[in-house]
Every structure is written in C-alpha cells, then in structure tokens.
Amino acid sequence: MTELRDVVIVGSGPAGLTAAIYTARANLSPLVLEGEPSSTSDQPGGQLMLTTEVENFPGFVDGIQGPELMQRFRDQASRFGAELQTVKATRVDLSSRPFTVWTSPDGSGEPAVTTRALIVATGAQSLMLGVPGEDLLLGHGVSTCATCDGFFFRGQEIAVIGGGDSALEEALFLTRFASKVTLVHRRKELRASKIMQDRAFANERISFRWSSVVTAIQGETSVTGIAVRDVDSGAEEILPVSGVFVAIGHRPNTDVFSGQLEMGDTGYVRTFGGSRSSVDGVFVCGDVQDDVYQQAITAAGSGCMAAMDAERWLEVQGR
Ligand code: NAP
C-alpha cells in the first residue's frame, strides 16, 4: 500500500524549505522530495547552491555563503520534523485526490507516495551558454543575477550576455557598480523592449558588442576574460573582464507537471490568489511561478504562503 501523506513538497530551494518549516511546525509532517544532483547547474537546494556570497538575505549582517544558507534552511526544516528525501519527482498524477507521485527514474512502477496536498517548489533554471570555463567559474565571476552579485564588481569591467529585457535590466543595474559594462549580443538588434533599449543606449557606461558569441570564459579561480567571436567575420578576440553576467533567459522546472497545471504564456505555473494553482489542493511557490522577482527572499516568502494556504485547505477538508 502506498504511503498517504498530508503534505508533499517537491523542491528544496528557499521556497520548498520554507514551506517545509511552516508545515512541519503545523504538525503536518511534510515529506520534501528535494531532487537529485544531475549536473552542476541542477542541484537540490536550488540556485543558491551555485552562489557564493549572499549579502541581501535579511538577518545575515555580514553575508553568508549560498550553500551554507540552504543547509540552515534544511536543518531548520528537519528540526521540526520535515522528512527530506534526495529523489526527484519524475511523474505526478493530479487528476484525482489524493495526488500520486512517482520517483523512479522513468516514472514507472509503484508510486512513491500519495498526498492530500501538494506544494510545488521546483524553481527555475537560468539558461547557460554551455561554453568552456562557465561551469568552473560559476559563482567565481560568472553570475546569473546582477541583484545578487553586482556589488562585488565595484569599479571593474564586466560583460553581460544576451539581448532581451533581462540582459538590459542587468546591464543597467550593473552600471551602478562596474566602471564599464559590455553587452555581448549574438545579433545586430536587441530583442528587448524599446524603452529598455533607449535607456541602455543612453547610458554611457554600457557599450555594445554586436553579432558576437562567447566561445570561452577564461580564468583558473576567477574570471580574467571572455573569448568572443564575431559571427560575421569569424574574428576572435579576448575581452578582459572580471565578471560575466549570463542573461539569456530562464526556464521554469515544470516538465513533470506539464498538461496538469495551468501555465502562463512564458511557461511559468499560473497561480490564482495566494499560491493556489489550477488544481484544487496543489499550491505553488517560488521561481516556478515567478518570472518577475526571482529572489531567495521572495521565494521564501511565497513558500510561507503556500504552507499556510495548504494548511487552511487541509483544515477545510477536515484534516
Ligand atoms: P528573452 O526575452 O528570451 O531574451 C533572451 C536573450 O538571450 C535574447 O536576446 C537571445 O538572443 C539571447 N540568447 C538566447 N540564447 C542564447 C545563447 N545560447 N547565446 C547567446 N544569446 C542567447 O529572455 P529574458 O530577457 O530573460 O526575458 C524573458 C521575459 O521576461 C521576456 O518576455 C521579457 O520581456 C520579460 N522581462 C521583462 C523585463 C522588464 O520589463 N523590465 C525584465 C526582464 C524580463 P536572440 O534575441 O538572438 O534570440
């Protein structure tokens, strides 16, 4: 007989683990399916596992390393009785309650667990360039979040990769710190909205490197430069920068819920007041439903909301 839980949480970033802390303290004995490491950029604990110093999470006056912060979230959730399993949800059935979750690699065989309420906190992944040096230097000069890491590049020359609104937003933000920001874009025109383009063109600290792709990120322990190739002429050049912000888009981790939860045009899970999803009893929090703020603190806040929404919903169900 497959085990029946009150609450299963899928995902173990700030959203999932905050939901775990709250539901555990509400005596709901949550089970957290925290995921399995499948690549450097896909780790239990979410994107903070790929970050070095976190200076903007309230309460840590002197900052804290991303992985240490996530370990503290885990310890706090465990302390109140949350159970964490290092497995991935590979298939779910949300068509009837209780919901069913499988964790076998191909989603076949016996289900792992059934649950009255499900909290989805699977996060999003930054799309990466996939060039040599990128994995090695992620968190050591390569970043996907200007709000998180811009401060560390005060007075330095940096590059932003991409031509969409995110890239321009990152570039504009980074001009507060960097002495020079070079935006490297693979085409001759930007994808970003006109207003963002106007702002970027008007900012004298931003220069543009058109029709150029990054072929490698250089450096042993920190970034010393990027190799860029002009796609028209084929000419290669090294740009001597100490920071690279990759801003070529995000992908929410929704594969397992595809066709079962309603998603918006950009692929993020849609919520309907608080954390409620299109399926009664399924609550969604963190970056998988947020294409705007995407911060650890906002993810944690929405994890709290999902926990409280689930708790109230279970109460209405007579639990
Ligand atoms: P996006 O609009 O999809 O833009 C991605 C950019 O990265 C494009 O310029 C694309 O080039 C480039 N790119 C993609 N893959 C690449 C690769 N492998 N190598 C080099 N370049 C690559 O993504 P986004 O900028 O993250 O924005 C996502 C959505 O959020 C958009 O709807 C955007 O308008 C919205 N957003 C709005 C704001 C705002 O209004 N302030 C801020 C951020 C985001 P191509 O142009 O050649 O395809």
Side-chain angles (χ1 to χ4, degrees):
M1 195 56 189
T2 308
E3 183 190 12
L4 173 62
R5 293 270 184 157
D6 278 327
V7 178
V8 167
I9 298 166
V10 188
S12 59
L17 292 178
T18 301
I21 292 166
Y22 272 74
T23 49
R25 286 193 79 245
N27 280 336
L28 291 170
S29 308
L31 169 65
V32 182
L33 305 179
E34 63 171 359
E36 287 174 288
S38 60
S39 69
T40 321
S41 52
D42 181 15
Q43 300 273 337
Q47 298 191 65
L48 280 188
M49 297 301 287
L50 311 172
T51 310
T52 46
E53 191 81 8
V54 179
E55 287 191 326
N56 56 5
F57 200 89
F60 294 91
V61 180
D62 300 317
I64 183 168
Q65 297 289 305
E68 191 193 337
L69 180 59
M70 291 325 299
Q71 187 57 46
R72 289 183 179 222
F73 271 74
R74 291 178 99 249
D75 292 346
Q76 197 173 354
S78 301
R79 179 180 152 219
F80 293 114
E83 184 187 342
L84 281 83
Q85 288 183 7
T86 311
V87 290
K88 260 196 167 119
T90 49
R91 181 178 148 209
V92 297
D93 181 356
L94 308 181
S95 63
S96 61
R97 295 205 302 263
F99 307 119
T100 312
V101 182
W102 286 259
T103 57
S104 55
D106 59 356
S108 64
E110 283 298 304
V113 66
T114 60
T115 182
R116 295 185 176 91
L118 183 72
I119 296 181
V120 174
T122 45
Q125 286 181 43
S126 297
L127 298 178
M128 301 305 288
L129 298 166
V131 298
E134 184 181 48
D135 259 8
L136 176 73
L137 295 165
L138 193 58
H140 302 277
V142 176
S143 171
T144 56
C145 176
T147 313
C148 317
D149 299 329
F151 188 77
F152 303 118
F153 294 90
R154 201 169 275 278
Q156 300 176 36
E157 296 197 7
I158 58 175
V160 174
I161 321 301
D165 279 321
S166 295
L168 294 201
E169 196 169 78
E170 301 274 87
L172 285 160
F173 179 79
L174 288 164
T175 58
R176 298 182 197 183
F177 310 103
S179 56
K180 181 182 173 192
V181 177
T182 303
L183 190 110
V184 180
H185 182 39
R186 63 185 178 183
R187 291 188 297 134
K188 284 192 181 64
E189 62 199 36
L190 297 169
R191 176 179 295 280
S193 54
K194 171 90 170 57
I195 185 165
M196 294 295 279
Q197 294 197 27
D198 289 346
R199 278 185 206 157
F201 290 142
N203 192 312
E204 53 192 33
R205 284 203 190 176
I206 301 179
S207 67
F208 293 84
R209 182 91 191 193
W210 303 110
S211 304
S212 297
V213 291
V214 178
T215 54
I217 298 174
Q218 300 186 323
E220 301 274 314
T221 53
S222 62
V223 172
T224 55
I226 55 173
V228 290
R229 191 181 68 234
D230 185 305
V231 291
D232 297 326
S233 68
E236 290 248 5
E237 197 190 329
I238 306 294
L239 297 186
V241 293
S242 52
V244 188
F245 287 79
V246 180
I248 60 173
H250 287 89
R251 198 177 79 84
N253 298 317
T254 55
D255 289 355
V256 77
F257 308 105
S258 168
Q260 303 196 65
L261 290 181
E262 205 174 310
M263 309 202 189
D265 296 340
T266 50
Y268 287 77
V269 180
R270 202 165 251 167
T271 52
F272 301 85
S275 66
R276 282 188 295 280
S277 74
S278 55
V279 175
D280 198 29
V282 178
F283 304 89
V284 197
C285 53
D287 284 9
V288 71
Q289 51 85 57
D290 173 15
D291 62 352
V292 179
Y293 301 103
Q294 303 180 328
Q295 298 298 300
I297 186 67
T298 50
S302 76
C304 162
M305 288 162 63
M308 293 177 76
D309 288 343
E311 198 184 321
R312 285 175 191 156
W313 182 85
L314 283 164
E315 209 170 292
V316 172
Q317 307 299 308
R319 293 296 300 165

